Amino acid sequence: MSGSGQAKAEGLPQALVQALPEALAAELRALPLRYPQRRGALLPILHRLQEWRGHLDPADMRLAGEIVGISAAEVFSVLSFYTMYRQRPVGRFPIGVCRNISCWVNGSDKLVETVKQELGIAPGEITADGLFSLQEVECLGSCGTAPCLEVESRYFENLTPDKVRALLARLRAGASDPAAAIRSAQNEA
Amino acid sequence: MENYLSTEFARSGPLLLAEALNKGRYKTAQRVFELMTPEQVVDEVKNSGLRGRGGAWFPTGIKWSFMPKPPLKGPSYLVINADEGEPGTFKDRAIMEKDPHLLLEGILIGSFAIRAETAFLYIRGEYLTAHDALATAIAELEQAGFLGDAVFGTKHRLRIVLHRGAGAYICGEETALLNSLEGRRGEPRPKPPFPAVYGAFGRPTSVNNVETLANVPAIVEHGAAWFKSVGTAQAPGHLLFGISGAVERPGCYELPLGTTARELVEKHAGGVKGGKKMRAFIPGGASTGFLPPEKLDVAMDPESLKKEGTMLGTGGIIVIPEEISVVDAARVFSRFFRHETCGQCSPCREGSAWSDQVIARFQRGEGQREDFTLLEEIMRGSKQRTICVFPEAFAGPLGSAIKHFRGEFESAMTTQQAPHA
């Protein structure tokens, strides 16, 4: 396979980059140039790989390590420190409900209950159709607009159970293009 | 003094460069780059008494004066701490989402003051909307020649690297943030060496909070005397007070330091939601702990809150209503701190987990008399025994809860006597 849409990365293991779109591979190779030491680019590289795949698997860890010059094991040591990096697949719409103080005082537990009832999943689970997953997250900095949930770091604020039900319906309707669905749901909110 | 931090907060999207220029933005930065010396900027900020708004309240001008002076033996860096994560705090987000150029003008002036040609803007990963607003604003500045190899056409160079974190409260601690910026686990570093000597990528670095830098353009424009005309003698200027929890009008309010908590909660935020009574309030973010409503007349400045045994922190007030018990609220925090300890120092890793278990016991109505002693011992055994002040942070809500609201914990004790009690 050597289609024109595939990466011809220099200095990177061909097997690892083959699946990447060429533009993404080029972007990943350029990221270390922004930092005084290549390793500074590790978090941004992991963010971009996760945006592309949906989570990070061992091939991504090897690739990120090759780009910044550390082992896959060390990449794993770093990414496992941070809550935003996912080591296994999540739903197409991963829902994170803030459970910290101001959201909780304003009824975040009711939001979690609503998602549970509507989708039949508990925190940590994915719906059978793969569309949604749920987790409780710590403070999102939305305390003045509480309660809040996030989908791929896009915030939905001043929520009520009814608003959550409407949001889930909108996302479900736009499942073929999740990023666009999240954007349009934000605009309607 | 008119508001100078929150003028754009009512907007729905960010103020763009063209409109910012119409409002006179970047005139001060341009004057700094064309006419001033770094020493003059540092002196003005030092004289103004500006202190760091990230929670530590260290004098900004003094921090900048620790940075190397010519002849420089290599690059110095400005690192902007936009890793806002203290529960109850959302002011930096408002600045970045609504008025990114206010921060960026502060970054230009701050970089000039410490002779940095690269500024790393470390923003928490979840703040994607703020990140996008900043990315656009930085591109506008590059286009306009306000960044790059000839800032404002002068011989000065500056680039800003926007860098996303990935979810870790501890990265708000400045040396953890530096490790994270370098692509490492966000574990705080032993100090010394301090960042001004050995910071980002081993180079001299000043780490400054978003709101702190947002104060700088106005200080340089109007002068130190203007800045000192409001606030308290030891903590001058305005602060963005976040008010959240059970209040009628939660939000960010720009007011002079030293404004009372009562004025903030009752006048500006409209009082407790639904006209209910207040059980407790938290003066400045999770780690500052609980105060009873009788303390509402406390002035919101670092010195006044220190006298009450707590801190101003980030100035994020959280109101707990009557119907919520402090035991339950304390559990929200103990669970949070247990989740967020980085784990490298055992007293903190173990202490945060043990204290959460003890609070959970009270929450189930199974607390025991000796649990009070146990909590005290955990706090005593972990404070000042670790690389950073995280144990002080988790002790804030725990210690204040059992001090001011002990009765609530006593009624959450098991009725059965422990066998050895």
Side-chain angles (χ1 to χ4, degrees), chain A residues 83-154:
Chain A
T83 55
M84 289 179 72
Y85 296 130
R86 307 162 183 146
Q87 295 164 40
R88 57 190 68 83
V90 291
R92 216 175 289 180
F93 299 108
I95 292 170
V97 182
C98 174
R99 66 179 185 185
N100 213 291
I101 190 78
S102 298
C103 282
W104 172 73
V105 163
N106 285 293
S108 62
D109 44 353
K110 293 192 192 79
L111 305 187
V112 173
E113 271 314 305
T114 305
V115 177
K116 276 181 173 174
Q117 279 171 12
E118 290 290 308
L119 302 177
I121 50 170
E125 293 178 352
I126 311 177
T127 54
D129 58 9
L131 277 189
F132 295 97
S133 54
L134 172 64
Q135 86 185 115
E136 290 179 279
V137 299
E138 293 299 353
C139 186
L140 293 168
S142 178
C143 323
T145 36
C148 168
L149 68 74
E150 54 95 19
V151 187
E152 297 286 32
S153 296
R154 298 298 178 187

Side-chain angles (χ1 to χ4, degrees), chain B residues 71-323:
Chain B
L72 301 179
K73 295 190 186 76
S76 296
Y77 300 126
L78 178 69
V79 170
I80 300 91
N81 186 343
D83 193 51
E84 182 170 68
E86 181 72 20
T89 312
F90 45 98
K91 65 199 175 66
D92 294 342
R93 176 183 166 205
I95 294 173
M96 295 186 287
E97 285 188 359
K98 302 298 170 67
D99 201 357
H101 285 294
L102 179 66
L103 169 61
L104 292 172
E105 187 170 8
I107 293 173
L108 261 62
I109 298 170
S111 300
F112 179 90
I114 63 164
R115 300 176 172 87
E117 294 184 341
T118 305
F120 294 99
L121 206 177
Y122 184 108
I123 182 168
R124 67 176 293 187
E126 295 88 344
Y127 277 6
L128 194 50
T129 301
H131 170 276
D132 293 350
L134 286 164
T136 302
I138 291 168
E140 287 178 321
L141 292 185
E142 286 166 347
Q143 192 85 34
F146 293 6
L147 287 173
D149 288 334
V151 179
F152 300 114
T154 67
K155 64 178 171 48
H156 298 285
R157 296 192 299 182
L158 180 62
R159 66 184 186 116
I160 300 177
V161 177
L162 185 56
H163 182 99
R164 281 179 77 199
Y169 167 78
I170 191 60
C171 289
E173 198 276 352
E174 62 177 8
T175 60
L177 184 150
L178 295 175
N179 275 338
S180 181
L181 175 65
E182 293 181 5
R184 302 171 196 282
R185 294 166 68 85
E187 290 166 348
R189 299 173 178 174
K191 294 159 280 281
F194 290 95
V197 174
Y198 189 95
F201 305 100
R203 300 300 312 168
T205 301
S206 176
V207 185
N208 294 106
N209 161 263
V210 169
E211 185 184 354
T212 309
L213 288 164
N215 273 271
V216 168
I219 290 170
V220 176
E221 181 184 356
H222 302 294
W226 167 85
F227 190 70
K228 283 194 286 196
S229 69
V230 296
T232 67
Q234 286 170 282
H238 281 182
L239 188 70
L240 292 172
F241 291 97
I243 311 178
S244 69
V247 291
E248 283 291 332
R249 293 187 297 275
C252 249
Y253 295 89
E254 178 179 350
L255 286 155
L257 278 153
T259 303
T260 66
R262 184 182 301 284
E263 180 184 334
L264 288 162
V265 170
E266 293 180 357
K267 183 175 162 198
H268 298 286
V272 182
K273 202 172 175 179
K276 290 184 180 157
K277 282 197 180 130
M278 180 188 295
R279 179 170 300 261
F281 73 103
I282 293 150
S287 56
T288 64
F290 301 94
L291 286 174
E294 300 87 84
K295 300 287 186 187
L296 268 175
D297 290 309
V298 67
M300 293 286 290
D301 64 78
E303 284 64 42
S304 302
L305 281 155
K306 197 175 175 190
K307 277 183 212 143
E308 295 296 343
T310 178
M311 304 178 290
L312 176 57
T314 59
I317 296 178
I318 306 158
V319 172
I320 309 295
E322 187 180 28
E323 72 267 23

Side-chain angles (χ1 to χ4, degrees), chain B residues 407-420:
Chain B
E408 285 193 37
F409 285 83
E410 283 172 343
S411 42
M413 287 183 2
T414 180
T415 44
Q416 283 196 312
Q417 284 288 318
H420 52 280

